[in-house]
Amino acid sequence: MDHELAPEVSELRRTVRAFLERKSSEADVRRIVDGGLRRDDDVWRQMAGQLGLQGLLVPESFGGQGTSFVEMEVVLEELGRSLLPAPFLSSAVLAVSALTAAGDDGVSADLLPALAEGRSTATVAFSEGFVCRPGESTVVARRAGSGWVLDGRVDAVLDGASADTLLVVAPTENGLGLFAVGPDRNGVTHTELAVLDPTRPMAAIDFHAAGARRVGGDFTDGQRWLLALGAAAVSAELAGATQKVLETAVEYARLREQFGKQIGSFQAVKHLCADIFVTAESALSVARHAARTAAYDPSGLAEAASLAKAYSSEACALAAEQNIQVHGGIGFTWEHPAHLYLRRAKSGELLFGDSAHHRGVLAGLLGLTAVPAQRHAPRALAHEEAGV
């Protein structure tokens, strides 16, 4: 697959990378994570005010840039590469996309400008498909007078404890609905979860007759599309993280010496670096293919996103493990950043479905069905039955 970028998209990627190299170094990431912070507020404001990143997917009529997912994909690559701790995926990608998919101009006018300017954040609580586990949400919506209330629990919500607005997908008496729960959060409690990736906080959310505002009409197709977009977004982050993994592995193989030779001259290390290179390039290719499909052929997004996620979920985690092997003993230490990329890869592996889940989705989309394996008779018995 061709994954070359248009000149203006390449320039966006270079600009974002230069910004993040200044603002989200390893020391900056550790300062935020070790300090129990969710983001650097100054960096968040600069991302919105100077670069307009939070508004990339927001339509111009609501104060955003109105760009396509192609531009967003390269930003996600760079965010994955830098491991920036910030609610970008939850707010600027998932929440913005949920609001635009719902097509409710009134709610969009209330929420999208603030999201684009970085003045507030939002996240999505899915009714299914976020962690692909049975019963991950028990939330139901019911009418109460002229409004709606929500009851139940969502097991995992990305940035659920810090978002100003919760966009909750919940069943109603006729189909799925999307509901906005404001910052006052009456009837809402959250429990922060212990997570593998410290740069990506999550929370379980409980709703107890929580008042909510309905956004648009039936959201069944909207959630299906949003889950595919989320899989494509995580694939882009994993592709960017794996590019950084490749760079660090090759750099260390050039610098580290054993027995008077660079370890990169040893065949075993060469093979590890070559394997990481193949993974990095392949992950980049499928992620950018999914982004182009989201932008120019939305009807094919489910297949392209599952292709990207089926590959990156498994391969990128393996590449992060191979990077630790290249680094040897130092790669296992807390002080070295290799484990941070492994944590991001392993957590990204599970969000929006792992490789097995998306292979199943692809099989369904392609009309494939599993054929039970046939039991073969032992060779001697087969010969006997044949009269041999």
Side-chain angles (χ1 to χ4, degrees):
M1 299 176 186
D2 177 21
H3 57 250
E4 293 299 317
L5 300 172
E8 62 273 16
V9 182
S10 292
E11 182 58 33
L12 172 63
R13 183 181 62 82
R14 285 191 292 269
T15 300
V16 174
R17 178 173 296 189
F19 175 83
L20 292 173
E21 285 177 346
R22 297 194 308 271
K23 302 295 184 177
S24 185
S25 65
E26 180 193 343
D28 293 319
V29 172
R30 289 183 180 274
R31 173 177 55 82
I32 295 171
V33 169
D34 294 343
L37 306 175
R38 295 188 176 96
R39 71 186 187 205
D40 185 317
D41 288 335
D42 290 337
V43 172
W44 184 254
R45 284 191 292 268
Q46 290 170 25
M47 288 171 63
Q50 298 178 14
L51 302 179
L53 300 184
Q54 287 91 321
L56 283 178
L57 297 180
V58 176
E60 292 183 74
S61 57
F62 295 114
Q65 311 298 318
T67 61
S68 74
F69 200 74
V70 171
E71 289 79 9
M72 176 58 79
E73 193 275 340
V74 298
V75 173
L76 290 168
E77 284 179 22
E78 296 305 315
L79 293 173
R81 186 177 184 274
S82 69
L83 300 180
L84 176 73
F88 191 87
L89 175 61
S90 61
S91 186
V93 180
L94 298 177
V96 167
S97 298
L99 290 170
T100 54
D104 188 322
D105 288 346
V107 178
S108 292
D110 289 342
L111 298 180
L112 286 178
L115 296 180
E117 295 168 9
R119 292 186 285 110
S120 71
T121 63
T123 190
V124 179
F126 293 92
S127 69
E128 62 179 358
F130 180 59
V131 291
C132 294
R133 186 172 61 198
E136 63 186 81
S137 173
T138 61
V139 177
V140 294
R142 55 184 174 85
R143 290 188 179 275
S146 60
W148 293 84
V149 294
L150 303 176
D151 291 285
R153 177 183 176 90
V154 186
D155 286 342
V157 180
L158 192 60
D159 298 302
S162 60
D164 298 307
T165 300
L166 298 174
L167 298 174
V168 185
V169 184
T172 68
E173 67 273 11
N174 49 5
L176 288 179
L178 181 67
F179 300 89
V181 179
D184 54 359
R185 295 198 176 193
N186 291 329
V188 180
T189 58
H190 70 265
T191 304
E192 294 199 49
L193 303 176
V195 292
L196 178 64
D197 180 3
T199 67
R200 177 159 280 168
M202 297 189 196
I205 308 291
D206 289 282
F207 299 90
H208 306 279
R213 178 182 182 185
R214 184 156 189 178
V215 184
D218 183 75
F219 199 68
T220 302
D221 291 339
Q223 176 171 250
R224 189 178 300 116
W225 176 82
L226 191 61
L227 287 169
L229 193 73
V234 172
S235 298
E237 287 190 336
L238 292 176
T242 307
Q243 289 289 323
K244 182 63 175 180
V245 163
L246 173 64
E247 293 171 15
T248 57
V250 171
E251 180 182 11
Y252 188 77
R254 287 174 175 170
L255 295 177
R256 182 74 167 95
E257 292 187 359
Q258 285 185 348
F259 311 111
K261 294 182 179 181
Q262 294 175 332
I263 65 170
S265 66
F266 302 150
Q267 190 174 38
V269 176
K270 286 181 180 179
H271 286 175
L272 286 171
C273 291
D275 288 344
I276 298 172
F277 171 78
V278 171
T279 297
E281 289 298 294
S282 300
L284 201 64
S285 182
V286 293
R288 291 184 179 176
H289 169 66
R292 287 194 176 101
T293 303
Y296 307 126
D297 182 21
S299 62
L301 176 59
E303 182 176 333
S306 284
L307 173 66
K309 194 64 167 58
Y311 179 80
S312 61
S313 286
E314 191 171 6
C316 293
L318 177 59
E321 293 174 3
Q322 291 169 325
N323 178 46
I324 292 177
Q325 288 182 275
V326 171
H327 282 81
I330 194 174
F332 289 87
T333 63
W334 178 261
E335 291 75 17
H336 197 276
H339 73 94
L340 295 175
Y341 286 91
L342 178 59
R343 289 168 180 268
R344 172 58 64 93
K346 293 300 289 184
S347 67
E349 179 180 353
L350 300 177
L351 298 184
F352 299 103
D354 60 8
S355 293
H357 170 81
H358 283 285
R359 289 191 185 108
V361 172
L362 284 170
L365 292 171
L366 297 174
L368 303 177
T369 56
V371 178
Q374 294 182 352
R375 294 181 60 86
H376 294 285
R379 183 180 299 273
L381 179 59
H383 285 180
E384 181 181 341
E385 291 177 349
V388 179

